[in-house]
Amino acid sequence: MNSSSPRLVIVGGGFTGATVAVQAARRSPIALEIVVIEPNAELGRGLPYRGGDPDHRVNGPIATHSIDPLDTSHVQRWLERTKLLVEDPDAQCSFGTFLRRSDYGRYLHESVLEFANKNESGSTIRHRRSRVSQIHLTSNQVVLKLQTGESLLADSVVLAFGNPASRVPPILQDLTEYPCVVSSPLAGDELQRLCAQISPASQVAVMGTSLTAADVISTLLRQSAGARITAFSRRGLIPHRQRPPDAQAQANLPQTWLVDRINGPVPSYLYPGPGSAWTVRHLCRAMRGRIQNHTRQGMPWQKAFDEARDVVWQFWPLLSQTEKQRFIRRLRVWYDVARFRLPPQTAESLDKAVTAGRLSFCAQSLVEAKALNNGRLKLTFRSKGHDIVKEFDALINCTGFDLGGEVDPQTLAGTMVQSGLLARDESGIGFRVDENCRVVGFSGQSSPRIRLAGPATAGVFGDSLGAMFIAVQAHRMLPSLFDDLT
Ligand SMILES: Cc1cc2nc3c(=O)[nH]c(=O)nc-3n(C[C@H](O)[C@H](O)[C@H](O)COP(=O)(O)OP(=O)(O)OC[C@H]3O[C@@H](n4cnc5c(N)ncnc54)[C@H](O)[C@@H]3O)c2cc1C
C-alpha cells in the first residue's frame, strides 16, 4: 500500500464489517487502506459473538461460517491450528461442529488480524476504536464524523452497523426498571444479574420462543438450578433443530460451493406460471409441493426449504410491496422457525429440561403485566379466548430486534435518515439500497460512495441475516466497489 491508496472505511466491526474487510483485502485489484471503525476492542465479534456464555453456540455447521466465502475450509484450518476442539469437545456432534459463539468471535477476530498486513492485494486493515455519529458527502469523498469530534475522509464507505436495538413490547415499557425484568438480555449484564438472584424455587417467564429465548433458557438452566421456566409466544412455535447435511451432496465440494449455491439459479419450480406475478401464495404452494415430493422420496423437508432459502435474495425483490408485507405479517414467523434452527447441543438441553418438567412452552399472548409489592410479577395471558393469571419471580424479554420501529435519531442510521442519505425500504424492516448495496436516499438517488451490507438490507434482499448470506452478499457487492475506487 502507498500513501495514495484509496481509503475504504467500514463502519461497524461485527461479522459484516470483518468479512467485507477481509474479502476486500484479498480480492481488490489495487492496494487499499481499509479502516474499520468499531467501538469494541476486537473486530469480528459484533453483538452475537462477544459474550462468554459457554452454552451459546453458532447455529450452523462451521463450513457455512467462514469469514471468506471463497475459502470455506478456512474455519476448519483455524480449528486445526488452534486445537480448540480439545478444549471444547462438545462442539462436535455426529454430523458437524457447532462452535461456541465466543470461540467463533475469536476466530473472526484472529482472521482479520491474519489478513490485516498480509493479503493478496497488498492492502492494510486498521481498526479504529470509535463510533461514527454522522456522515456527509462532498463532491468526491465521504466525511465521517466520529464520536470524539474528529473527522475522517473516505473514498468509499461500507455501513455494517448491524441490527437496531431490542424491541421492548409496549406492555413492558413501564417495567423496564423493575429489578426482576430483563428487557434486553443480549446487551450488558442484565441477564447475569438476574441469574444471581434466582433461587431453585423461582418461576421464570420467558417472553418469546425463538433462538434468543433458547439461548437465554440454556443460560438459566445452567445457572439457576431448579428454577422453573415458562416460555411463551403468541403461537408457541419453537425453532426446528439442525439436521445432518446431505452427505452425498457434501462430498468433494469445491471451496466455492457456498457462493455457487447462493448465487446459483432460482429453481424452476419456484417460478410463477407464464404471465403471472410473483406472489407469496404461489411460492408457498410451490414449496409445499416440493417438500411433499422430497418427503415421499425419503429426503428431509429441510433440503427443499434450504433450496428456496438460499436464493431468497434473488426472488424477494420480485414480490410487490403488498406481497412482501403480507409475508412479513402472516408467514414470517413460520419461515423463521424453519430458517433459524437450533444447534443440536441446545436442542438436547431444552429437550432434557422439558422431560424433567423444568421447562414448558406455551402458545399464549401476554395481555397485562403488573409489578407486585412482594417483588414478584402478576402476568395475565390470553389463550383461545380465556385469561390465565400467574405469578412469576422474573420475566425476560426475548422478542427480538425492533425491526419495524422508528429509527432512533441518536444512532448513525437516524442521523442519515434525517439528512436524507438513508431511507426506509418498502417492507419497513431495513433501509433502501440498490442491487450493488449502494444506499438509496430519500430523493430516490443512490449514493455512489456509500454502501450498506448485512441485516439492515433484509427488507431489500429478504434474508441477509446469517453469516453465510452476509459473506456472499459482500462477495457480490465488492466488484462494483472496486470499480468505483479504480
Ligand atoms: C444472538 C444472535 C445469535 C446469532 N447467531 C448466529 C449464528 O449462529 N450464525 C449466523 O450465521 N448468524 C447468527 N446471527 C445473525 C447475525 O446477525 C449475523 O451472523 C452477524 O453477526 C451480523 O453481523 P453484523 O456485523 O451485521 O452486526 P453486529 O454483530 O450487530 O455488529 C454490528 C457492529 O457495528 C458496530 N456499530 C454500530 N453502530 C456503529 C457506529 N455508528 N459506528 C461504529 N460502529 C458501530 C457495533 O458496535 C457492532 O459491533 C445471530 C444473531 C444474534 C443476534
Side-chain angles (χ1 to χ4, degrees):
M1 196 197 77
N2 58 47
S3 57
S4 61
S5 294
R7 182 185 286 162
L8 165 64
V9 174
I10 299 168
V11 181
F15 176 84
T16 305
T19 188
V20 170
V22 166
Q23 293 189 60
R26 297 195 73 180
R27 310 274 133 65
S28 173
I30 54 166
L32 301 175
E33 180 196 355
I34 303 169
V35 182
V36 186
I37 305 182
E38 163 61 53
N40 289 300
E42 294 190 347
L43 292 182
R45 292 191 179 271
L47 179 66
Y49 313 120
R50 66 173 172 237
D53 194 305
D55 285 330
H56 294 181
R57 289 189 182 269
V58 164
N59 66 2
I62 51 159
T64 59
H65 278 71
S66 171
I67 196 164
D68 183 348
L70 290 182
D71 186 3
T72 42
S73 65
H74 188 257
V75 201
Q76 184 58 41
R77 299 200 305 272
W78 177 82
L79 276 179
E80 284 159 16
R81 237 180 10 252
T82 54
K83 306 204 172 11
L84 191 103
L85 295 179
V86 177
E87 285 162 43
D88 179 23
D90 292 346
Q92 277 173 305
C93 73
S94 59
F95 62 88
T97 304
F98 293 80
L99 292 182
R100 288 179 174 148
R101 288 216 296 274
S102 52
D103 289 332
Y104 181 60
R106 182 182 147 200
Y107 157 74
L108 293 172
H109 170 62
E110 292 184 6
S111 301
V112 179
L113 295 180
E114 177 189 343
F115 293 106
N117 295 305
K118 212 170 141 201
N119 52 68
E120 290 82 339
S121 70
S123 300
T124 56
I125 305 174
R126 204 155 44 87
H127 176 194
R128 175 119 184 217
R129 275 189 85 177
S130 188
R131 187 172 278 282
V132 178
S133 49
Q134 278 173 24
I135 287 185
H136 69 264
L137 283 165
T138 65
S139 56
N140 57 358
Q141 281 194 307
V142 188
V143 185
L144 298 105
K145 193 157 176 236
L146 307 187
Q147 206 176 26
T148 50
E150 296 160 272
S151 291
L152 187 71
L153 293 179
D155 297 296
S156 196
V157 167
V158 175
L159 304 171
F161 49 56
N163 285 292
S166 292
R167 171 177 176 270
V168 180
I171 204 162
L172 300 186
Q173 296 284 1
D174 294 338
L175 293 173
T176 53
E177 300 300 318
Y178 200 59
C180 65
V181 174
V182 173
S183 47
S184 305
L186 295 178
D189 59 357
E190 264 187 285
L191 182 61
Q192 294 308 320
R193 272 191 284 120
L194 182 85
C195 284
Q197 291 167 22
I198 290 173
S199 77
S202 298
Q203 298 275 353
V204 183
V206 173
M207 185 171 189
T209 54
S210 66
L211 284 185
T212 305
D215 279 347
V216 164
I217 293 168
S218 332
T219 305
L220 288 170
L221 289 172
R222 193 186 68 247
Q223 298 209 356
S224 52
R228 283 179 194 278
I229 304 159
T230 306
F232 64 91
S233 63
R234 204 173 307 154
R235 294 185 184 81
L237 295 173
I238 307 163
H240 290 279
R241 61 193 58 211
Q242 279 294 3
R243 65 173 181 100
D246 182 345
Q248 225 177 353
Q250 295 287 312
N252 301 321
L253 288 174
Q255 285 292 319
T256 55
W257 66 271
L258 195 59
V259 171
D260 298 341
R261 210 170 82 183
I262 294 173
N263 288 350
V266 174
S268 55
Y269 68 87
L270 286 174
Y271 279 84
S276 306
W278 284 79
T279 61
V280 171
R281 182 180 288 213
H282 99 260
L283 283 168
C284 284
R285 205 177 292 145
M287 280 181 71
R288 210 175 291 135
R290 183 76 170 175
I291 286 172
Q292 279 165 0
N293 221 352
H294 271 59
T295 319
R296 266 198 298 274
Q297 293 174 40
M299 286 189 277
W301 63 265
Q302 288 93 338
K303 192 168 183 299
F305 181 89
D306 292 356
E307 279 170 2
R309 174 208 62 187
D310 289 348
V311 293
V312 158
W313 70 274
Q314 299 185 52
F315 64 76
W316 175 260
L318 305 175
L319 295 169
S320 68
Q321 180 176 349
T322 318
E323 287 296 315
K324 286 177 185 157
Q325 283 167 348
R326 178 169 294 152
F327 172 84
I328 291 168
R329 253 193 341 267
R330 302 226 185 116
L331 284 173
R332 189 170 170 173
V333 57
W334 302 94
Y335 176 84
D336 284 357
V337 291
R339 156 77 177 85
F340 300 104
R341 299 185 195 140
L342 288 171
Q345 297 87 340
T346 312
E348 200 178 309
S349 135
L350 301 193
D351 282 352
K352 276 191 193 153
V354 170
T355 310
R358 280 193 66 194
L359 169 66
S360 56
F361 290 98
C362 0
Q364 292 175 340
S365 300
L366 184 65
V367 289
E368 194 177 42
K370 272 192 178 162
L372 300 172
N373 291 336
N374 60 5
R376 302 187 86 205
L377 288 159
K378 187 167 115 181
L379 304 184
T380 308
F381 300 100
R382 190 156 296 158
S383 173
K384 297 182 184 151
H386 297 287
D387 283 358
I388 306 153
V389 181
K390 283 187 194 160
E391 284 190 22
F392 286 91
D393 299 284
L395 172 64
I396 303 169
N397 170 35
C398 297
T399 54
F401 297 113
D402 195 7
L403 295 176
E406 288 288 304
V407 184
D408 181 351
Q410 306 299 325
T411 60
L412 173 62
T415 61
M416 290 181 74
V417 167
Q418 275 164 1
S419 68
L421 274 176
L422 267 187
R424 274 290 201 201
D425 61 66
E426 60 179 18
S427 343
I429 56 169
F431 300 100
R432 284 168 74 185
V433 290
D434 69 12
E435 68 279 10
N436 290 313
C437 294
R438 292 188 192 93
V439 299
V440 177
F442 191 67
S443 65
Q445 291 279 314
S446 64
S447 300
R449 294 177 182 275
I450 308 178
R451 286 172 173 76
L452 171 64
T457 62
V460 175
F461 298 117
D463 192 341
S464 47
L465 305 170
M468 66 180 194
F469 295 109
I470 299 171
V472 179
Q473 179 187 51
H475 166 77
R476 285 194 306 271
M477 171 187 82
L478 283 171
S480 78
L481 187 147
F482 298 148
D483 281 350
D484 289 351
L485 285 176
T486 48

